[in-house]
Structure formats: structure tokens, C-alpha cells
Amino acid sequence: SQTIHQWPATLVQPVGSPLSLECTVEGTSNPNLYWYRQAAGRGLQLLFYSVGIGQISSEVPQNLSASRPQDRQFILSSKKLLLSDSGFYLCAWSEGSYSNQPQHFGDGTRLSIL
Amino acid sequence: AQSVTQLDSQVPVFEEAPVELRCNYSSSVSVYLFWYVQYPNQGLQLLLKYLSGSTLVKGINGFEAEFNKSQTSFHLRKPSVHISDTAEYFCAVKANFGNEKLTFGTGTRLTIIP
């Protein structure tokens, strides 16, 4: 069966520091991969999605970036964090070839910026 | 483009009472519909999905939802709730072709009162 791993679970970073969140999927090939942010008491905001290695689409202009160095690895990065980057970050995957397949989510990373 | 409206941000319900969480969507094309549940500090878990066929869809944990095309609704129901159902519930929609992205509602917080 397929599994998705996301780490770390929690992270406290000072303003201006760099960021790297990692997500990996097991048990499937060529998945679609997604990064979402969930601010406190709000819905999900899609940040990036990828349909293949090296293919990244950005939904919202910001100081975050994403990379997909391997088929089942998705990384969210920042060179300098802002206070507004605080939130709950969720990685998700779906079957790449079938549009009717749902997205499956990791357990999330809670990021606090001090 | 698609949009989702969850009319109630918070719904308090007594234990063992029935509940209905409302979801309306807007789309110019046919859609797939999903309900997800999010427990505190966790990722989203798929409850159920409507792809085609029978308009009454049964999911996990005793939940069901009914697709109503004329009213563009996909309300979630459970005949008798338990304390463990306390969570945030998200309705989501995507176009039924291509690699369209999932659009989420803002969520409904279900609180079960003992």
C-alpha cells in the first residue's frame, strides 16, 4: 500500500532563517505531489504542485520554493523565513494518471516563526 | 474554475444526535466531489468521494453524503455522532477531466457535546 511521510512534525525557526521541509511517498510511481499551507482557523491554500521530476507549478507568489529531485520526493524551501510563513504545512499525493483519484495527505509540519 | 462553499464554520451537536454538514459547489463542468476529515494536529483523511453513479455515497466512520446536481450540493450526514467525531471537515471539488487541481472549502468544525 502507499504511504506518505512528512518531516519534521514541528519546527520553530527565527525570522530570516532558511527552511527545508521534506515529503516522500512510497508504494507508487510518478505521483502528483502537492504542498499546502493551512493558517490557523482557515482552509487549505495550495502552494505548489508537481506532475513529474523537475516540474513545479507555483500557485501563490511568495518567498517559498519547491523542488522535486526524485520521483517520490518533494521539498519545500525558503532562503529567509518571514513571520507570515507560520502555519501548518501539508504534503499530499495523488495518482498521476487518473483525474478521479483523491489526494492523500501526510501528517503535516507545524511551523512557528519567532 | 470551481468553488466550494461550506455554509457553517462551526456546528455543535449533542452526542448520539444526527448531524448534517452542508457543502455547495459551483462549476461550469462536471465534477468529482470529496469529503475529508482533519483531527487536531493531523493531516486530512478521506471520508468519502463521489465520482459517478449512485448519488448516495457511503464512507468511513458511518458517514454518508448525497450528491444533488440540481442544487449543486454534496451534504455530509451521520445518523448518530460520537465524541470521536469531533474534528474539522472539508468539502472539496475538482473538474472531472485532465489533471485539474482540488478546490477546498473553508471547513466546518464539528463539536460533539457529551
Side-chain angles (χ1 to χ4, degrees):
Chain A
S1 63
Q2 301 90 358
T3 56
I4 178 169
H5 302 281
Q6 207 182 321
W7 67 92
T10 59
L11 190 60
V12 180
Q13 292 285 94
V15 170
S17 63
L19 173 73
S20 180
L21 302 181
E22 190 163 342
C23 172
T24 59
V25 180
E26 296 177 356
T28 188
S29 296
N30 196 31
N32 292 338
L33 297 171
Y34 310 84
W35 277 112
Y36 289 89
R37 178 169 57 204
Q38 188 176 26
R42 301 177 69 177
L44 282 79
Q45 179 186 35
L46 179 63
L47 301 176
F48 302 94
Y49 70 96
S50 171
V51 299
I53 296 175
Q55 300 177 61
I56 308 294
S57 296
S58 174
E59 290 294 297
V60 181
Q62 58 212 318
N63 71 322
L64 299 172
S65 62
S67 62
R68 185 170 177 173
Q70 301 181 44
D71 182 43
R72 290 167 290 174
Q73 183 185 29
F74 206 24
I75 298 172
L76 183 69
S77 304
S78 174
K79 293 181 179 179
K80 294 179 74 172
L81 285 167
L82 306 173
L83 282 173
S84 58
D85 292 323
S86 291
F88 193 49
Y89 288 81
L90 290 160
C91 181
W93 73 274
S94 65
E95 292 286 353
S97 302
Y98 306 101
S99 66
N100 64 357
Q101 293 304 302
Q103 292 180 18
H104 305 277
F105 287 79
D107 289 334
T109 295
R110 184 157 307 280
L111 175 63
S112 299
I113 310 300
L114 303 180
Chain B
Q2 292 73 45
S3 67
V4 179
T5 301
Q6 291 185 245
L7 297 166
D8 305 300
S9 59
Q10 297 186 61
V11 173
V13 179
F14 285 104
E15 193 173 14
E16 297 184 6
V19 67
E20 179 179 82
L21 305 183
R22 297 180 292 170
C23 172
N24 287 89
Y25 69 93
S26 174
S27 177
S28 58
V29 299
S30 295
V31 296
Y32 300 129
L33 292 154
F34 307 86
W35 274 100
Y36 286 85
V37 60
Q38 184 180 31
Y39 299 103
N41 294 311
Q42 294 186 26
L44 277 70
Q45 179 182 4
L46 181 67
L47 270 179
L48 48 78
K49 59 186 178 184
Y50 171 77
L51 304 180
S52 65
S54 173
T55 58
L56 184 62
V57 180
K58 294 190 182 297
I60 62 171
N61 301 341
F63 284 93
E64 63 181 30
E66 186 156 19
F67 170 58
N68 188 318
K69 187 175 183 179
S70 62
Q71 297 187 8
T72 60
S73 67
F74 190 53
H75 300 333
L76 181 71
R77 297 192 291 257
K78 186 170 182 178
S80 176
V81 295
H82 304 285
I83 289 289
S84 59
D85 293 322
T86 295
E88 187 100 21
Y89 292 79
F90 291 93
C91 182
V93 63
K94 68 183 295 190
N96 71 347
F97 58 88
N99 239 335
E100 293 295 310
K101 298 179 289 293
L102 201 56
T103 299
F104 285 89
T106 52
T108 297
R109 183 170 300 278
L110 176 62
T111 301
I112 309 303
I113 305 165

